[in-house]
Amino acid sequence: MYRVKTLNKISTLGLDQLNKDRFQVGADVENEDGILVRSAPMQDYVFPSALRAIARAGAGTNNIPIDRCSENGIVVFNTPGANANAVKELVIAALLIASRDIIGGSRWVTEQAADPGIDLAAAVEKGKSAFVGPELYRKTLGVIGLGAIGALVCNAALDLGMDVYGYDPFLSVDAALRLDRHVHVVKDVNDLYRVSDYVTIHVPYSKDTKDFINAEAIAKMKGQARVLNLARGGLVNDDDMIAALKSGRIAKYVTDFPDEKIVAAPNVVALPHLGASTPESEDNCAVMAARQLRDYLINGNIRNSVNMPNVAQEWSGISRLCLIHKNVPSMLTQIMSVLSKEGVNVENMTNKSKKEYAYTMVDINTRINDTIAGELRAIPGVIRVRVLNH
């Protein structure tokens, strides 16, 4: 019986992926094998000895201590693409909000209606000019990041009649195939800045992407550009954006990550982190996270991990060894040496690395005893050894 702890409310559709005959699931589970989490902060979370994996029902993993997980042989999963449609739809709304003062106009109408002495119809006709703005049709949209969300945004913008430029230094073949052929993919983000009336960013947050849109980037944009950030707050430098808004260099900034500083700036539309806040998105993320966690705990397969390589193979033996180890020379030689010495025949093996860590799966035709498992754990650089039986 595997124990899975939930740190947030997880969609029932997701929990249903964990069969009650094999999984004990709940917020009160102790010494858990796995964790399902959404936004709960885990930076100071004390890892129990049994913990093997954390599955985040969402794309971002800023709330999870990734480095500490890696050091302890804990696999961290996320769910890229599961919320893509929800974010895409909010981007379309944000493009319209950034163009025409829909929110301000609605608020103004409500204020007028509260005055019983005003002829509302006449007031609306007289005052509506304060809220006009440009159409999206035939304007240029620049999309930074062409993953699951960025590709959907590009294709939707084309359907709106926009000219679309895309930039992604790590554009994969799969991502490229998702893009409509009419998207102009550029290799230099400055080429995108120069032509875009609207700029939207959809990249993961990391030390390399922090403040991706800053004063230098803004200076290369067209005057009166409109900027959207529905990805991560730290991707845009607040101080530089505020300065650009005050000077008029940027016409409007729509962010899904409000703080006290940016909310007080002029021409900012701040949303309450609505990007993935749809029941469909929450269901999709929960189902994907639960399935990945289940497959790892039962079969040792890793799919969509942020800290370990993706490795999956069909069973071809009666036992399976799953080893998380440092990505160092001669590791496979040492593993095979232990198995050979004990007369263990290997049916199939897969090994992949991701930066300083690696994962090795070995299918064998015999049961593994504690002595062999102990010898494998004793190899310098081996972090975790799991023995699974088919």
Side-chain angles (χ1 to χ4, degrees):
M1 179 73 73
Y2 293 106
R3 300 174 300 277
V4 176
K5 188 165 190 172
T6 55
L7 298 187
N8 295 100
K9 183 179 179 181
I10 303 296
S11 162
T12 302
L13 287 180
L15 299 181
D16 287 346
Q17 306 301 310
L18 304 175
N19 188 295
K20 291 180 174 57
D21 293 336
R22 302 197 69 170
F23 293 91
Q24 177 189 356
V25 184
D28 56 352
V29 170
E30 296 182 354
N31 198 27
E32 60 271 19
D33 299 287
I35 290 175
L36 283 171
V37 63
R38 290 172 59 197
S39 58
M42 295 189 65
Q43 296 299 335
D44 298 320
Y45 193 85
V46 178
F47 296 149
S49 58
L51 185 60
R52 304 169 190 177
I54 299 170
R56 159 79 161 97
T61 54
N62 296 349
N63 58 318
I64 300 172
I66 302 298
D67 290 344
R68 188 156 62 92
C69 288
S70 300
E71 292 164 2
N72 286 273
I74 298 168
V75 181
V76 179
F77 299 95
N78 68 344
T79 57
N83 62 3
N85 188 71
V87 179
K88 176 207 73 177
E89 291 186 1
L90 191 63
V91 171
I92 294 172
L95 285 169
L96 294 166
I97 290 170
S99 298
R100 306 166 74 174
D101 192 4
I102 298 168
I103 293 176
S106 176
R107 187 183 300 119
W108 177 80
V109 169
T110 301
E111 292 169 354
Q112 302 306 302
D115 187 342
I118 286 182
D119 180 340
L120 185 59
V124 166
E125 286 304 312
K126 182 178 179 180
K128 67 181 182 181
S129 61
F131 307 102
V132 301
E135 297 182 11
L136 301 179
Y137 183 63
R138 292 187 175 176
K139 301 301 189 303
T140 300
L141 172 65
V143 181
I144 301 171
L146 301 174
I149 295 172
L152 287 180
V153 170
C154 286
N155 297 343
L158 287 172
D159 289 338
L160 293 172
M162 302 186 78
D163 195 20
V164 181
Y165 281 70
Y167 167 78
D168 192 329
F170 305 107
L171 182 63
S172 67
V173 173
D174 288 343
L177 291 173
R178 289 194 294 264
L179 286 174
D180 187 287
R181 63 185 179 85
H182 294 97
V183 176
H184 309 287
V185 179
V186 297
K187 295 183 178 180
D188 185 345
V189 71
N190 295 317
D191 294 336
L192 179 151
Y193 289 147
R194 278 192 290 270
V195 298
S196 297
D197 302 293
Y198 302 80
V199 175
T200 182
I201 186 165
H202 301 283
V203 298
Y205 178 82
S206 69
K207 64 180 185 299
D208 296 322
T209 59
K210 182 179 184 295
D211 295 336
F212 192 98
I213 295 180
N214 53 23
E216 182 180 356
I218 292 169
K220 295 173 181 176
M221 294 181 189
K222 291 177 66 173
Q224 290 286 289
R226 291 165 165 82
V227 178
L228 282 56
N229 178 16
L230 307 183
R232 285 290 176 270
L235 297 173
V236 177
N237 183 285
D238 277 354
D239 292 331
D240 293 349
M241 179 56 67
I242 290 169
L245 289 163
K246 288 181 176 178
S247 71
R249 177 74 185 173
I250 298 296
K252 190 80 73 172
Y253 177 50
V254 182
T255 178
D256 207 18
F257 306 93
D259 56 41
E260 292 79 5
K261 182 187 294 186
I262 200 68
V263 167
N267 293 314
V268 169
V269 177
L271 306 175
H273 203 178
L274 294 177
S277 296
T278 68
E280 295 88 350
S281 173
E282 291 180 6
D283 286 346
N284 292 341
C285 289
V287 168
M288 188 172 178
R291 285 177 175 173
Q292 291 170 171
L293 183 62
R294 180 187 66 193
D295 196 20
Y296 178 66
L297 292 178
I298 294 175
N299 299 309
N301 291 326
I302 297 179
R303 294 181 173 89
N304 293 317
S305 173
V306 299
N307 65 331
M308 296 293 165
N310 293 325
V311 178
Q313 68 182 32
E314 295 294 326
W315 279 86
S316 56
I318 63 174
S319 289
R320 171 170 286 180
L321 287 167
C322 304
L323 299 94
I324 295 174
H325 52 85
K326 293 292 185 67
N327 182 22
V328 294
S330 79
M331 182 60 72
L332 290 181
T333 300
Q334 294 181 76
I335 294 170
M336 291 300 108
S337 176
V338 169
L339 298 179
S340 176
K341 179 172 67 71
E342 298 293 339
V344 176
N345 187 49
V346 174
E347 297 288 335
N348 192 19
M349 183 190 74
T350 304
N351 166 268
K352 289 186 180 180
S353 62
K354 186 172 186 176
K355 297 183 179 179
E356 64 264 40
Y357 295 96
Y359 186 59
T360 300
M361 297 175 66
V362 185
D363 284 349
I364 53 182
N365 62 0
T366 186
R367 299 293 188 203
I368 290 293
N369 59 43
D370 292 340
T371 299
I372 297 176
E375 289 182 39
L376 292 170
R377 292 187 180 101
I379 297 174
V382 170
I383 299 169
R384 184 183 290 271
V385 175
R386 297 178 60 211
V387 180
L388 305 176
N389 294 314
H390 201 26

